[in-house]
Amino acid sequence: MRPDTIVLVHGFWVTPRSWEHWISHYEAKGFRVLAPGYPGFEVEVEALRADPTPIVDLRVPQIIEKLEGVLDGLDSKPIIIGHSAGGAFTQILLDHGYGAAGVALNSAPTEGVRVVPLSQVKSTFPVLKNPANHHKAVPIEYDQWKYAFTNTFPEDESRALYERYSIPVSGRILWDSVLANFQPGKQAVAVDYHNDDRAPLLFVSASEDHIMPPAIQSSNAKHYKSKTITELKHYEGYPHLLPAAPGWEAIADEVLEWALDHAK
């Protein structure tokens, strides 16, 4: 049966508001579109900036539990599209048996992907430079936002998006993701790369992405050894913030078409 629902999963430093254009775009095509926030993210961007307690308390297992609760409430399997950290969460959800097809846009890596480009180090250094940030919600300064998210945008658009979308990030989750490959046993972002029952998965990479560059997407995709479809699509000239980048409509349409063609 053709999926009639799309679930959009946001990444770090932003909220479901970052999907605002994609929500209306897909709804205009007749789809039911859900964009759940992380636990405590039911408030607006401005409220999270004023009181970042929900960000400080954030943990990956609770995020996955909430997303799975949303999916459990659906009558049929949806298409799941995740951006950045949401791409890693999309991979986890598919591995857990959810979704008819999944798309990971500029995805954060799942456990075992050890590629760490210098641009990623520079993008996350303001958080990782101080171990004390492990217990904090760390704001993103504009210069960091410009480098990591909107490096291809005109200055005025970049600043406008910073004001509209940006929130602090959980230092704990970012630190834990860095340490995941160096700790014994499965960590929070582990998946079974040999899971033949997983729904088809498309990775999307962008040539100008500094924080989750193409090398990460390529390595993550190559880790999958299952018989289930895993493909990689690359876009030239795009930055990390794909959901708001000029030309996003074409990407939204192309990944949706892929998901519909491969849904099971």
Side-chain angles (χ1 to χ4, degrees):
M1 184 174 68
R2 183 179 187 268
D4 61 4
T5 302
I6 300 171
V7 176
L8 302 172
V9 185
H10 68 89
F12 296 150
W13 282 290
V14 296
T15 73
R17 185 187 286 182
S18 63
W19 287 117
E20 58 185 342
H21 302 309
W22 290 51
I23 293 171
S24 58
H25 186 73
Y26 285 149
E27 286 179 338
K29 294 178 178 292
F31 290 90
R32 179 189 183 192
V33 184
L34 304 176
Y38 302 157
F41 281 47
E42 296 83 8
V43 298
E44 294 292 348
V45 166
E46 294 77 12
L48 283 172
R49 289 179 188 150
D51 179 11
T53 302
I55 301 172
V56 177
D57 295 338
L58 202 60
R59 305 289 185 275
V60 170
Q62 286 89 336
I63 295 173
I64 299 302
E65 181 180 7
K66 180 174 180 182
L67 294 173
E68 290 183 345
V70 171
L71 296 171
D72 284 334
L74 301 178
D75 294 330
S76 59
K77 290 188 174 184
I79 293 167
I80 305 174
I81 302 176
H83 173 247
S84 195
F89 300 151
T90 296
Q91 294 180 63
I92 294 171
L93 293 170
L94 265 59
D95 185 48
H96 290 183
Y98 293 94
V103 179
L105 305 171
N106 292 347
S107 181
T110 41
E111 186 178 344
V113 179
R114 298 176 181 271
V115 175
V116 185
L118 288 177
S119 64
Q120 185 187 48
V121 174
K122 182 176 179 180
S123 297
T124 56
F125 184 71
V127 178
L128 300 177
K129 67 180 179 181
N130 185 354
N133 286 336
H134 186 278
H135 306 290
K136 297 178 180 178
V138 185
I140 183 169
E141 300 297 333
Y142 173 70
D143 288 346
Q144 180 194 3
W145 169 269
K146 174 70 174 177
Y147 180 81
F149 283 81
T150 56
N151 47 300
T152 66
F153 284 69
E155 182 70 15
D156 58 340
E157 292 181 20
S158 176
R159 286 192 176 275
L161 290 169
Y162 174 72
E163 293 299 329
R164 179 150 183 79
Y165 292 156
S166 71
I167 61 168
V169 70
S170 165
R172 179 187 297 271
I173 291 182
L174 212 61
W175 267 100
D176 288 351
S177 67
V178 170
L179 298 174
N181 286 324
F182 304 97
Q183 295 177 341
K186 279 189 175 182
Q187 304 303 308
V189 291
V191 297
D192 178 4
Y193 293 117
H194 297 270
N195 182 1
D196 291 334
D197 295 325
R198 171 185 58 78
L201 172 62
L202 174 66
F203 283 91
V204 171
S205 67
S207 65
E208 306 309 307
D209 186 352
H210 284 159
I211 191 167
M212 299 296 172
I216 291 177
Q217 311 311 312
S218 178
S219 178
N220 203 157
K222 288 177 180 177
H223 271 68
Y224 281 95
K225 306 300 181 184
S226 66
K227 298 175 182 177
T228 304
I229 295 171
T230 305
E231 295 184 359
L232 173 65
K233 186 173 182 61
H234 180 73
Y235 288 93
E236 283 292 327
Y238 283 89
H240 184 66
L241 194 62
L242 276 180
W248 63 264
E249 297 93 338
I251 297 176
D253 288 344
E254 288 172 11
V255 301
L256 176 59
E257 181 180 3
W258 184 96
L260 291 171
D261 287 344
H262 294 84
K264 71 174 194 176

